[in-house]
Amino acid sequence: MSEDNTRVLRKIIHIDMDAFYASVEQRDFPEYRGKPLVVGGKPDSRGVVATASYEARQYGIKSAMSCSKAYQLCPTAIFVYPRFDAYTSVSRSIREIFHRYTDIIEPLSLDEAYLDVTEDKLGIGSAIDIAKSIKDDIKNELNLTASAGVSINKFVAKIASDMNKPDGLTFIGPSKIKAFMEKLPVEKFFGIGKVTAARMKSMQIITGADLKKLSEAQLIAQFGKSGKFYYKVVRGIDERPVQSNRETKSVGAEDTLSEDTNDESVMHSLLHQISETVANRLEKHKLSGKTVTLKIKFEDFKQITRSRSFAFPINKAAQIYLEAIQLLKEADIGFKKVRLLGITLSRFYDDVAREKPESNQLEFEF
């Protein structure tokens, strides 16, 4: 076995904070503790649930559910608006804890991140022990709980972190991955949404073992380029690196109208406000995008998107607004009433495909 054709198995941790926004609220306001709490909007508003406490989840309340529906499920729930400044501050403190152990950190949002601890800064060695230490630090210093998944790649680590919530730690080692992936229901695969899962089930693809029966060519024929990804991950193969300075792929904003409408002037006014918000965010991150995407959600919750790309990037509110109203016009929604509008700018960077040679793996203790 040549040295060039071998590599050490990576040690990857996925940390996911438990009901993050709601947990911060319950930490900061003792009167919320032990009670069903919904972070989002007022129960009679058109807002949606950002996060629900575990007490609220027992009533069936979930993220992205309308606040009015959440209220129907649990009229005694406490509804509060998000305090994003507070969540951002806590997220920074969590990130500082991560940096004690590794600088190879890929944040996915305020409340979750991947960490590559193949070579940790403290010389601990065991990824399981590092995950335990991180969880303890978060609990002792921030009075919050996190769940951790530990494995040899990002895909398996992320699934593992969701297995024993809240305050869980799950390790799926190299020898266990094959059996684990074969038993996993397809809807539990990260990247397989409800629509794709339903389609797979109609094809009698219920678990990873069923998915594994299809060749790569068959999966690509059925699911496009995602088929290649499914073929690899069901075999426990995920070579994506933890990117410590992951590039921003898109910047956007959206807002719900106070009432469903097909009034063009009202929609234009909201698009103007959203364009200003997006432009400010682009300025903050020093970004310009070559693609504008307009999201339109109708009163029946069905949604469509319309996009336009340019040879040169844009980032000014006026440019974004003009393109958004043009896309709205071209969408030709007729008399349909609109519930929500959103604008996203993307294509900041050119994607570069990186081919990696196959290699054998050397195992070591986790």
Side-chain angles (χ1 to χ4, degrees):
M1 184 182 294
S2 71
E3 203 171 294
D4 291 339
N5 198 40
T6 64
R7 65 180 173 87
V8 170
L9 280 180
R10 295 178 297 160
K11 301 177 183 180
I12 307 298
I13 302 172
H14 180 259
I15 298 286
D16 190 9
M17 300 300 295
D18 299 320
F20 183 51
Y21 298 171
S23 295
V24 172
E25 297 299 333
Q26 290 180 319
R27 181 197 70 175
D28 294 350
F29 300 97
E31 62 268 30
Y32 297 159
R33 295 174 192 169
K35 297 177 180 178
L37 177 70
V38 175
V39 180
K42 292 182 179 180
D44 58 351
S45 73
R46 298 167 58 79
V48 297
V49 176
T51 309
S53 69
Y54 284 98
E55 296 86 352
R57 295 181 189 189
Q58 293 176 5
Y59 292 86
I61 299 173
K62 301 175 182 178
S63 297
M65 176 182 287
S66 70
C67 288
S68 58
K69 175 65 174 176
Y71 179 74
Q72 290 174 12
L73 291 172
C74 183
T76 59
I78 300 168
F79 288 78
V80 299
Y81 286 111
R83 296 184 299 133
F84 288 109
D85 287 346
Y87 311 147
T88 302
S89 176
V90 175
S91 183
R92 289 195 194 101
S93 298
I94 295 167
R95 203 73 48 79
E96 289 171 4
I97 290 172
F98 293 163
H99 276 288
R100 295 172 191 170
Y101 301 90
T102 180
D103 291 324
I104 308 176
I105 302 163
E106 181 179 336
L108 300 179
S109 61
L110 291 177
D111 62 343
E112 65 174 319
Y114 290 112
L115 290 74
D116 187 327
V117 295
T118 307
E119 296 182 4
D120 69 281
K121 292 164 73 173
L122 301 182
I124 296 172
S126 167
I128 298 171
D129 288 345
I130 294 169
K132 287 178 181 176
S133 293
I134 290 172
K135 281 167 49 63
D136 288 344
D137 290 350
I138 291 172
K139 185 179 289 186
N140 295 333
E141 298 174 30
L142 303 175
N143 198 23
L144 296 168
T145 64
S147 292
V150 180
S151 194
I152 61 170
N153 61 48
K154 291 164 71 172
F155 186 87
V156 181
K158 184 170 177 65
I159 294 173
S161 70
D162 197 44
M163 291 183 65
N164 291 300
K165 275 184 161 289
D167 201 17
L169 196 166
T170 303
F171 167 59
I172 302 174
S175 64
K176 305 291 185 184
I177 289 177
K178 180 177 181 289
F180 173 77
M181 297 303 290
E182 288 180 351
K183 291 178 182 177
L184 195 69
V186 291
E187 64 268 21
K188 295 289 187 181
F189 276 65
F190 177 63
I192 295 181
K194 290 182 179 179
V195 174
T196 303
R199 185 179 171 199
M200 286 183 174
K201 288 181 179 181
S202 72
M203 300 167 60
Q204 300 304 307
I205 302 172
I206 311 300
T207 66
D210 299 323
L211 191 62
K212 207 171 181 180
K213 293 174 184 175
L214 277 69
S215 68
E216 185 174 14
Q218 288 174 313
L219 286 169
I220 292 172
Q222 290 291 336
F223 305 104
K225 63 181 181 181
S226 296
K228 188 172 185 178
F229 178 70
Y230 301 153
Y231 180 82
K232 287 187 174 182
V233 295
V234 77
R235 289 164 172 77
I237 301 168
D238 179 10
E239 297 176 343
R240 294 173 300 159
V242 175
Q243 298 174 303
S244 54
N245 45 355
R246 192 166 62 107
E247 294 174 341
T248 302
K249 296 297 184 183
S250 65
V251 171
E254 61 185 39
D255 204 356
T256 304
L257 291 146
S258 58
E259 61 181 46
D260 299 337
T261 185
N262 54 19
D263 186 321
E264 190 172 83
S265 63
V266 173
M267 291 189 284
H268 283 193
S269 177
L270 182 59
L271 286 174
H272 186 271
Q273 295 174 35
I274 296 172
S275 298
E276 292 284 351
T277 300
V278 173
N280 288 336
R281 291 175 180 174
L282 289 167
E283 173 61 22
K284 180 180 178 181
H285 295 286
K286 307 299 182 201
L287 293 170
S288 298
K290 292 182 179 181
T291 298
V292 176
T293 300
L294 174 69
K295 174 181 175 181
I296 306 170
K297 182 179 287 186
F298 298 106
E299 59 183 341
D300 59 1
F301 285 85
K302 290 181 180 178
Q303 68 181 47
I304 61 172
T305 59
R306 295 291 183 268
S307 299
R308 185 192 307 281
S309 296
F310 317 96
F312 301 97
I314 64 172
N315 63 2
K316 302 299 183 186
Q319 297 171 306
I320 297 167
Y321 171 66
L322 289 174
E323 293 303 331
I325 60 174
Q326 183 61 32
L327 288 169
L328 179 63
K329 180 180 178 181
E330 292 174 4
D332 193 22
I333 63 175
F335 296 102
K336 290 182 181 178
K337 288 191 174 182
V338 173
R339 172 185 175 84
L340 173 147
L341 291 169
I343 301 172
T344 301
L345 264 286
S346 57
R347 284 188 65 216
F348 306 128
Y349 311 96
D350 292 325
D351 293 327
V352 178
R354 297 179 177 88
E355 295 292 330
K356 294 185 177 180
E358 291 186 2
S359 58
N360 295 318
Q361 297 180 332
L362 295 176
E363 294 192 16
F364 55 85
E365 291 299 317
F366 272 78

